[in-house]
Amino acid sequence: MNFEQLKEKTRSIINKVSTISEGSLDLVSDLIVIEIYEKGDVFIDRGKRNHKEYFVFEGVCRSFLLSPEGEEVTISFFLEDSVLSPNKTRTANQISHLNFQALTKLTVASLNADKFEQLMINHLDIREFGNMVLQNELLAKVEKEIGLASLNAKERLILFREKYHFLENLISHVDIASYLGITNVSLSRLRKSLIA
Amino acid sequence: MNFEQLKEKTRSIINKVSTISEGSLDLVSDLIVIEIYEKGDVFIDRGKRNHKEYFVFEGVCRSFLLSPEGEEVTISFFLEDSVLSPNKTRTANQISHLNFQALTKLTVASLNADKFEQLMINHLDIREFGNMVLQNELLAKVEKEIGLASLNAKERLILFREKYHFLENLISHVDIASYLGITNVSLSRLRKSLIA
DNA sequence: CTCATCCTTTAACAAATGTTAATGGATTTG
DNA sequence: CAAATCCATTAACATTTGTTAAAGGATGAG
């Protein structure tokens, strides 16, 4: 991928959230380093330092944590052409409090988070982009929280299908079940009940 | 409350999160307007404009939303001497997507969010304070999400008691139950089962 | 103080979800 | 290609949580 291709890919991802100027796009693109991971790779480890922002160029990944019982709980999915949670929202003192894992072959653009923060401070359009990412992140969390707190599992699965239609045939049902707050056995039961 | 008292109250709230300089404290305190609400008052309405940041000086409040079934779902509690979710994380285009309600007599300090954002841009210590609030906000959400997705209701009640032990005798159990993702009947049952 | 209202508790039953275990299909590895 | 492994499904049963209704207790208005 040459710089022009990289820039166009970045443009399309950023513009889906909030438009920025050509000059700002150049400033952002200049920070990008491409990283490639294989299916199953954990590319951000809870407890380790992480000082990057990420755009998902190709593939799908998830954030997850271990429950008190030691089971992996999927927090969020990130699809192709989307922006990962802002660094500030998933770290403390640059130490990650979440794990991130590639669920398919994954290509991401990574950016130094401190340099990106400086761009946000100095450029209104980049700041607005960053703030929109933040707002979308919180909005998604609130929506998920409402689902977990007030819907039953069947209703949550229906909403999941509306939002992540193609994931169900692409990734492990164990990961989907923990995202929905149920066991994979319950997920299988619900899938059957929704065929009719 | 005179300006000195207001400033000291603000200092203690901010310093619990991240220390700022005397000058920065003055800049923040100058933006403050005191607002007083009665128990039950909804002081931020979903769908209406809100362009303020808030510190809770006295009392307790909650954020809530209506589920698809029309039931109120408590998202978060905010205790005395804490900072409300940053404006950017609960609005889109300055339009609130959450309701906030006083659960006791409530005194809050409100600040113009745009002016506060400018302070964040221009002052590193204020920016770090704002970012810490943001991080804590997200951290709390992730913790709650893990609870809802991987613990049963009894375990969630135990964690709630560790975090908010005095709320249980202060506010309606209906609000607590919807926070825990259960009915108030189930909450009563769990309370009984935990006496032994 | 008394009545009305709201909230919490309790009970009985229904529904949803979890647990364990077995099976078969798909995929990977040697 | 064959064996091994992983994953989704299914079934039986246990447990948790929801629903509805009734009753008692606390709180606030008149």
Side-chain angles (χ1 to χ4, degrees):
Chain A
M1 182 177 282
N2 64 32
F3 183 76
E4 271 310 310
Q5 289 172 318
L6 182 155
K7 190 175 145 187
E8 288 315 308
K9 184 75 172 171
T10 304
R11 186 202 304 278
S12 78
I13 291 175
I14 290 181
N15 281 351
K16 284 210 295 191
V17 176
S18 166
T19 56
I20 67 173
S21 72
E22 197 66 21
S24 292
L25 179 63
D26 279 325
L27 291 170
V28 172
S29 300
D30 279 338
L31 297 182
I32 286 180
V33 177
I34 298 290
E35 301 180 12
I36 296 177
Y37 297 101
E38 294 304 315
K39 176 176 177 172
D41 286 357
V42 175
F43 62 97
I44 304 178
D45 286 272
R46 174 177 160 84
K48 293 194 179 167
R49 179 155 182 271
N50 182 278
H51 54 100
K52 298 174 182 173
E53 306 291 352
Y54 296 90
F55 300 149
V56 180
F57 273 14
E58 284 176 37
V60 178
C61 63
R62 66 164 182 151
S63 58
F64 73 96
L65 265 178
L66 299 186
S67 74
E69 281 80 14
E71 289 164 354
E72 292 185 359
V73 181
T74 299
I75 303 297
S76 303
F77 293 111
F78 299 90
L79 309 183
E80 195 159 308
D81 286 333
S82 70
V83 184
L84 225 67
S85 314
N87 184 286
K88 280 271 190 296
T89 70
R90 55 182 164 78
T91 63
N93 293 320
Q94 301 241 15
I95 301 297
S96 179
H97 53 249
L98 292 173
N99 304 290
F100 284 77
Q101 180 180 42
L103 300 178
T104 61
K105 189 170 193 309
L106 184 75
T107 305
V108 297
S110 73
L111 301 77
N112 181 291
D114 292 329
K115 290 180 182 169
F116 185 79
E117 187 185 12
Q118 282 306 315
L119 291 186
M120 279 184 66
I121 289 170
N122 294 322
H123 300 272
L124 179 61
D125 56 348
I126 299 177
R127 184 160 73 245
E128 283 177 347
F129 162 74
N131 284 334
M132 283 299 292
V133 172
L134 183 64
Q135 288 174 352
N136 293 340
E137 175 86 5
L138 264 291
L139 202 52
K141 285 216 175 302
V142 168
E143 275 175 9
K144 188 179 174 197
E145 201 171 328
I146 292 172
L148 288 169
S150 74
L151 303 181
N152 64 32
K154 185 183 286 192
E155 297 168 317
R156 298 202 296 275
L157 174 55
I158 290 169
L159 290 181
F160 169 83
R161 287 179 167 181
E162 291 174 3
K163 191 166 178 184
Y164 297 115
H165 167 64
F166 41 95
L167 278 191
E168 201 171 338
N169 297 314
L170 184 66
I171 67 176
S172 159
H173 288 188
V174 175
D175 294 344
I176 295 175
S178 81
Y179 176 83
L180 295 173
I182 58 179
T183 62
N184 55 340
V185 177
S186 288
L187 174 56
S188 178
R189 186 158 42 203
L190 292 173
R191 280 162 53 81
K192 187 178 184 183
S193 82
L194 286 175
I195 291 174
Chain B
M1 180 178 283
N2 64 32
F3 183 78
E4 270 311 309
Q5 290 172 317
L6 181 155
K7 191 174 141 185
E8 288 315 308
K9 184 75 172 171
T10 303
R11 186 202 305 277
S12 78
I13 291 175
I14 289 180
N15 281 350
K16 283 209 296 188
V17 177
S18 166
T19 56
I20 65 173
S21 72
E22 198 65 22
S24 293
L25 179 62
D26 280 323
L27 290 170
V28 172
S29 300
D30 280 337
L31 296 182
I32 286 179
V33 177
I34 298 291
E35 300 179 14
I36 297 178
Y37 297 101
E38 294 303 316
K39 176 175 175 172
D41 288 356
V42 175
F43 63 98
I44 304 178
D45 286 270
R46 174 177 160 84
K48 293 193 179 168
R49 178 154 183 272
N50 181 278
H51 54 100
K52 297 174 180 172
E53 305 291 351
Y54 296 90
F55 300 148
V56 180
F57 273 15
E58 284 177 39
V60 178
C61 62
R62 66 164 181 148
S63 58
F64 73 97
L65 264 179
L66 300 186
S67 73
E69 281 81 13
E71 288 165 354
E72 292 184 0
V73 181
T74 299
I75 304 296
S76 301
F77 294 110
F78 298 90
L79 307 183
E80 196 158 307
D81 286 332
S82 69
V83 184
L84 227 64
S85 313
N87 184 286
K88 281 270 188 294
T89 71
R90 55 180 164 78
T91 64
N93 294 320
Q94 301 241 15
I95 301 297
S96 179
H97 55 247
L98 291 173
N99 303 290
F100 284 78
Q101 180 181 41
L103 299 177
T104 62
K105 189 170 193 307
L106 184 74
T107 303
V108 297
S110 73
L111 301 77
N112 181 291
D114 293 329
K115 291 180 181 169
F116 186 78
E117 187 185 13
Q118 282 306 315
L119 291 185
M120 277 185 66
I121 290 170
N122 294 322
H123 301 272
L124 179 61
D125 55 349
I126 299 177
R127 184 159 74 246
E128 284 178 346
F129 162 74
N131 284 334
M132 283 299 292
V133 172
L134 183 65
Q135 288 174 352
N136 293 339
E137 176 85 7
L138 264 291
L139 202 52
K141 287 216 174 300
V142 169
E143 275 176 9
K144 189 180 173 198
E145 200 172 328
I146 291 171
L148 287 170
S150 73
L151 303 181
N152 64 31
K154 184 183 285 193
E155 295 169 318
R156 298 201 296 275
L157 174 56
I158 291 170
L159 289 182
F160 170 83
R161 286 179 166 180
E162 290 174 3
K163 190 166 178 184
Y164 298 116
H165 73 101
F166 42 96
L167 279 190
E168 200 170 338
N169 297 315
L170 184 67
I171 68 176
S172 161
H173 287 187
V174 176
D175 294 344
I176 295 174
S178 81
Y179 177 83
L180 295 174
I182 57 179
T183 63
N184 56 338
V185 178
S186 287
L187 174 56
S188 178
R189 185 160 40 203
L190 292 173
R191 280 162 53 79
K192 187 176 183 184
S193 82
L194 285 174
I195 291 174

